[in-house]
Amino acid sequence: VVSQLNRAGFEAYIVGGGVRDLILGEEPKDFDVTTNATPNQICKVVKNCQRRIIGRRFKIVHCVFGHRESQIIIEVATFRNNEESAAGRSSGDAGMLTRDNSYGDSIEEDSKRRDYSINALYYSPKNRIIYDFHGGYYDILKGTIDMIGDPVVRIHEDPARIIRAYRFAAKLGFKISERTMKGFEGNFSLIKNINSSRLFEEVNKFFLSGYGYRSFKVLKESNILKLFLTEQGVVFDSDYFNGFIGESLKRSDLRHRQGKPNMPAFLYAVLLWPLVNSMLNRLRTAPGFIHSSEKSIIDLIGAKVIASQLAITNFPNMVQDIIMEIWRLQADLDNGMDGVDNVEHVIANKFFRAGVDFMRLRAFMDDSLTDACESWEEEYEFQSARALMFRKAKSRGKSGGSDDADVERTIEELEILNSRRAKERARASEREQSLKKELKKSGRKARGQEKTKTKSRKKRSGKEKIKGGSRRGDESLNLTEWM
Ligand code: ATP
Ligand code: MG
């Protein structure tokens, strides 16, 4: 992109995180290019990719190379200036710039509107020179995040810059400079002015980009995490909160390193679970809910918690639906393979795998869930292997590698295997039922007259498996506020 622009007589540089990460010896997530060509000129000059002009206030060009998973997007922006900031520019309802749309003449001018010195290095591949107007190179060597210009002015222009500083601190292990920190002090409430859709995107970057666990620690230590999440009461500082979310983020960081995707819905299902779980524990035994099904209580609590989180980080309807589905699935999964009416129905759920992964995290905090979790995992693996064999047999059939009889035979074998497993399950269930009867009998004898008190609790004992968050007195959590 840069050399095509250069050949056409334009200035063009790689700028931002790409240069920073290359200096650090890290693999850049993406590359941004800045040029004195206008968006229309960029589209004319850059040939070997799809070009899309995007942006409302300030138009930039997305140069898209490759397809789908292997797609690379290079963001190409025309030099900007920062003249509004000196005049105390107005910020919109999103707490973002509303007039940041005038072109700049040079990279020096462009550099003043960038956030931190470490993000304002310009690399010219043609000359093999890095241009640095704010001491960014030395800040990278020192591991310092330093705001360009007056930190107070810059965070009033755009409060998301505060969050970005913490993100770079987590991602790079850098320290925020003293003068920048001074500017932040007393101004953290500005974060509330960030548009909730934009905040959703920013929070995702913290937790879904491979450094989620480090972000969690930095955000907790600096007390910022609270600003991203709906009121959690004492749950926020509980061992369950730290253990459950911490473990989940360690696992999603690993997934990221393995090149596997992480869904925002799973992230939010995790971040909000300690609260949901704590409320669940309360409501299950609360008067008026004793006869309610686990799923209906989850529906009630889930809707409340999601609605209140949406006011902070606004996520799409689809994300909301998946979060609810993951939580609701827990009610089925907790009953174990033998306790649900229709195993196939549970497994056919589109988010079954996510639900089981979620259960695995809960089992990490509560060992009594481990057996049930393992049996679901085993079942999932079996079903996946079965589906794969089925697909293979079918494609062999199609490509003439085998005849119809071959395909029929494979399917038949699979059916036999399946019915064998169903029978095994039925037998195990029978065994468990008779064991339960025995236990009941001996329990009745042992209890004698002591059959008073918590009739309702006993009735719901099968539903007691989702637990944990409220282990350490969350008495102060005011449920009436929620319900
Ligand atoms: P990452 O590794 O997360 O991609 P990055 O520094 O590349 O980090 P981007 O969000 O991709 O971050 O932004 C690219 C560049 O645009 C930044 O390096 C910075 O120079 C500039 N920039 C982005 N957001 C802001 C902002 N809110 N205020 C000022 N400059 C910004
Ligand atoms: Mg970037």
Side-chain angles (χ1 to χ4, degrees), residues 346-364:
V346 177
I347 290 168
N349 189 307
K350 247 172 93 183
F351 301 102
F352 174 71
R353 179 73 246 189
V356 176
D357 284 347
F358 194 85
M359 187 188 199
R360 172 52 72 190
L361 286 170
R362 291 174 48 233
F364 175 79

Side-chain angles (χ1 to χ4, degrees), residues 183-194:
F184 289 175
E185 275 157 23
N187 285 316
F188 285 101
S189 59
L190 287 176
I191 292 176
K192 292 203 180 80
N193 299 341
I194 302 171

Side-chain angles (χ1 to χ4, degrees), residues 215-443:
S215 296
F216 181 59
K217 285 208 299 197
V218 166
L219 290 172
K220 269 222 104 179
E221 277 162 20
S222 52
N223 241 345
I224 304 253
L225 188 63
K226 268 192 177 139
L227 302 174
F228 294 170
L229 293 174
T230 183
E231 179 61 46
Q232 302 247 349
V234 293
V235 174
F236 188 79
D237 288 314
S238 66
D239 293 343
Y240 192 86
F241 184 91
N242 291 321
F244 182 76
I245 296 176
E247 180 62 20
S248 170
L249 293 171
K250 280 182 197 164
R251 287 174 196 214
S252 55
D253 287 348
L254 179 67
R255 283 176 65 85
H256 189 271
R257 284 198 292 281
Q258 294 169 334
K260 295 180 186 166
N262 286 308
M263 300 193 285
F266 193 88
L267 169 71
Y268 277 89
V270 167
L271 291 175
L272 299 173
W273 177 253
L275 174 63
V276 170
N277 185 35
S278 162
M279 291 166 79
L280 254 174
N281 286 333
R282 285 287 192 89
L283 280 205
R284 269 193 211 110
T285 51
F289 289 95
I290 287 163
H291 301 291
S292 308
S293 72
E294 184 81 352
K295 273 191 187 164
S296 66
I297 306 181
I298 292 178
D299 283 344
L300 198 70
I301 296 173
K304 282 277 179 198
V305 170
I306 288 177
S308 104
Q309 180 62 35
L310 282 177
I312 304 171
T313 53
N314 184 20
F315 32 78
N317 288 346
M318 199 178 68
V319 173
Q320 300 173 36
D321 294 344
I322 303 174
I323 297 172
M324 278 308 296
E325 207 50 53
I326 291 173
W327 288 341
R328 298 179 94 244
L329 257 168
Q330 303 308 305
D332 283 329
L333 300 179
D334 279 9
N335 290 324
M337 299 250 311
D338 308 321
V340 293
D341 298 336
N342 188 342
V343 171
E344 273 67 35
H345 183 73
V346 177
I347 290 168
N349 189 307
K350 247 172 93 183
F351 301 102
F352 174 71
R353 179 73 246 189
V356 176
D357 284 347
F358 194 85
M359 187 188 199
R360 172 52 72 190
L361 286 170
R362 291 174 48 233
F364 175 79
M365 300 303 290
D366 177 358
D367 201 33
S368 72
L369 296 168
T370 304
D371 286 349
C373 184
E374 268 167 15
S375 68
W376 286 114
E377 281 171 341
E378 219 174 79
E379 185 61 23
Y380 177 80
E381 266 150 37
F382 170 76
Q383 295 292 346
S384 310
R386 180 179 183 271
L388 186 70
M389 272 170 80
F390 188 80
R391 275 202 302 278
K392 274 189 184 162
K394 244 184 154 175
S395 74
R396 269 206 310 274
K398 264 191 204 148
S399 64
S402 67
D403 54 24
D404 279 355
D406 237 2
V407 178
E408 289 294 326
R409 220 172 301 128
T410 312
I411 293 170
E412 229 170 75
E413 278 167 17
L414 284 168
E415 294 305 340
I416 294 169
L417 212 60
N418 227 10
S419 82
R420 208 180 295 154
R421 283 177 72 90
K423 275 182 201 153
E424 268 172 27
R425 274 206 304 269
R427 273 201 296 275
S429 167
E430 264 171 37
R431 273 200 303 277
E432 191 168 320
Q433 290 302 330
S434 65
L435 203 68
K436 271 185 192 158
K437 267 187 205 157
E438 295 266 325
L439 281 173
K440 235 183 188 171
K441 256 193 226 162
S442 54

Side-chain angles (χ1 to χ4, degrees), residues 15-18 20-21 28-32 75 164 167-168 171 205:
V15 65
R20 178 197 69 214
D21 292 348
K29 193 176 82 200
D30 48 37
F31 285 103
D32 298 297
E75 224 171 80
R164 286 174 61 84
R167 187 159 70 76
F168 298 126
K171 173 176 170 161
K205 286 189 202 162

Side-chain angles (χ1 to χ4, degrees), residues 13-25:
Y13 305 84
I14 299 171
V15 65
V19 183
R20 178 197 69 214
D21 292 348
L22 282 178
I23 292 172
L24 284 167

